[in-house]
Amino acid sequence: MKIIVDFDRCEANGVCVGIAPDMFELDDDDMLTVAEGDVATDRLADAEEAVAQCPKAALRLA
Ligand code: SF4
């Protein structure tokens, strides 16, 4: 499973970064970057939590 970001919806509020800073990062221009590749099995719960908590529904796992 990979994390997919809809950049048209993301407002860079950092909720996902707070939940999983090893998977999400906001750069100096408030641009979100996401760890590449498949989410490790032991990190899936936090990835799912970030998806669920994103207030803009900009994240999904696929
Ligand atoms: S929680 Fe959602 S809106 Fe906020 S930075 Fe992450 S993807 Fe963007």
Side-chain angles (χ1 to χ4, degrees):
M1 301 282 270
K2 293 180 175 61
I3 299 168
I4 311 291
V5 183
D6 182 343
F7 287 101
D8 290 335
R9 301 183 71 101
C10 175
E11 63 177 15
N13 53 40
V15 172
C16 55
V17 181
I19 294 168
D22 58 323
M23 287 185 268
F24 301 93
E25 187 176 346
L26 283 172
D27 68 14
D28 292 341
D29 297 321
D30 272 353
M31 186 71 188
L32 184 70
T33 55
V34 181
E36 291 183 16
D38 287 333
V39 178
T41 307
D42 64 348
R43 301 297 293 122
L44 208 47
D46 274 352
E48 290 171 344
E49 179 72 9
V51 170
Q53 296 297 325
C54 173
K56 302 298 288 183
L59 298 175
R60 64 187 172 91
L61 284 165

